[in-house]
Amino acid sequence: MLLLRRDPEAATSEVGVRAVGAFDLGRLSRLHKACFADGWSRSDLAHLLAMPGGFGLIARRQEPGFAGLDAIRGVGFALCRTTADECELLSLGVVPAQRRNGVARLLLEAAMQRCRNAGAKRMFLEVAIDNDKAKRLYEDRGFVVVGTRSNYYLRADGTRIHAHTMRLDLTCDMQRPAVAVEA
Ligand SMILES: CC(C)(COP(=O)(O)OP(=O)(O)OC[C@H]1O[C@@H](n2cnc3c(N)ncnc32)[C@H](O)[C@@H]1OP(=O)(O)O)[C@@H](O)C(=O)NCCC(=O)NCCS
C-alpha cells in the first residue's frame, strides 16, 4: 500500500504491514525501545505474543539501498490481544524519524481489521492523559473516552500519570478499504 507522505525525501517510498513472526522479537524490541522510554524486552514481547489472542504487526518501509538493492526497515508496530468479542490495543509506536507520515493510522487500521476478523466487536486501549498526539489519532478514528485509570503509567522519572481508557465500536464502519497485511 502506498502512502501519501509529508516528508519529500520519503515521498516515493513504500510502507507495508506484516504480521510479527517468531524471528521478529529482536527487531520488535528495538522498535519498542525507540518509541517508549520503558521499551519492552524480547522476553516481554515473547510472553505477550504467546498469550491467547495475542498478535503483533510491523510496518516496514522499503527504501533504495546500496548498489541498487532495496533496504527494508521496520518503522512501527502494533500489539494487540483479542478475547471473545473484545480486543485491546496493547501498544502502538512509530519511530521518531518516520512520524506524521500516516504509519500509525495504517497500523491501527490493520490491527482493527485483524481483530474484527477474529470476531471482536469493540476495541479498547489505554493512553496517558497527556499524550495529545496519540489521543488525537484515536479520537480522529472514532475512539471515545470511557474511563480513567488513576496513576496507571509509571514514568522513567518515577512519577505516575493517569490513563484514559478509550473504546471503539468495530462494527460501525466495516466498509473501509482493507489494509493488505503480509503473513
Ligand atoms: C502517537 C504515534 C504512534 C503517532 O504516529 P504517527 O505515525 O506519527 O501518526 P500518523 O502520522 O499516522 O498520524 C495520524 C494522526 O495522529 C495525530 N497525530 C499524530 N502525530 C501528531 C502530532 N505530532 N501532533 C498532533 N497530532 C498528531 C493526528 O490526528 C494525525 O492525523 P493528521 O496527520 O491527519 O493530522 C507516534 O507519535 C508515537 O509512536 N509516539 C510515541 C509512542 C506513543 O505515544 N504511542 C501511543 C501510546 S497509546
Side-chain angles (χ1 to χ4, degrees):
M1 161 173 288
L2 285 172
L3 295 175
L4 289 177
R5 301 187 169 280
R6 296 188 180 94
D7 174 3
E9 205 177 24
T12 55
S13 55
E14 189 175 322
V15 172
V17 177
R18 181 164 74 66
V20 168
F23 298 110
D24 289 318
L25 291 178
R27 181 178 300 119
L28 190 54
S29 177
R30 282 193 295 278
L31 285 173
H32 204 280
K33 286 173 178 170
C35 295
F36 292 95
D38 56 347
W40 294 348
S41 67
R42 287 170 64 118
S43 60
D44 293 335
L45 292 162
H47 176 71
L48 187 153
L49 294 169
M51 289 189 303
F55 73 89
L57 300 172
I58 284 188
R60 302 186 310 160
R61 180 176 145 201
Q62 188 171 337
E63 45 191 31
F66 184 67
L69 295 173
D70 280 354
I72 302 216
R73 179 179 302 181
V75 294
F77 62 87
L79 298 166
C80 292
R81 182 174 48 176
T82 59
T83 45
D85 62 353
E86 292 186 350
C87 62
E88 189 179 0
L89 182 67
L90 299 167
S91 194
L92 173 76
V94 174
V95 296
Q98 299 288 330
R99 289 179 186 164
R100 292 318 295 270
N101 284 317
V103 177
R105 187 178 285 133
L106 181 75
L107 281 163
L108 180 59
E109 210 63 50
M112 287 165 51
Q113 190 178 296
R114 179 151 170 179
C115 290
R116 212 184 265 130
N117 291 345
K121 295 187 169 49
R122 288 170 297 280
M123 179 176 264
F124 291 87
L125 62 85
E126 260 85 37
V127 57
I129 59 168
D130 63 352
N131 191 344
D132 295 332
K133 300 171 194 170
K135 278 170 65 181
R136 192 165 148 201
L137 163 71
Y138 300 135
E139 281 165 0
D140 280 1
R141 190 56 190 84
F143 281 84
V144 291
V145 174
V146 292
T148 304
R149 290 177 182 262
S150 297
N151 300 316
Y152 188 74
Y153 291 111
L154 177 62
R155 293 255 154 99
D157 64 2
T159 59
R160 290 197 168 268
I161 179 91
H162 304 329
H164 278 145
T165 300
M166 302 186 83
R167 184 186 64 206
L168 178 73
D169 182 349
L170 291 175
T171 63
C172 275
D173 57 357
M174 297 169 71
Q175 305 308 319
R176 290 195 179 218
V179 177
V181 178
E182 300 163 47

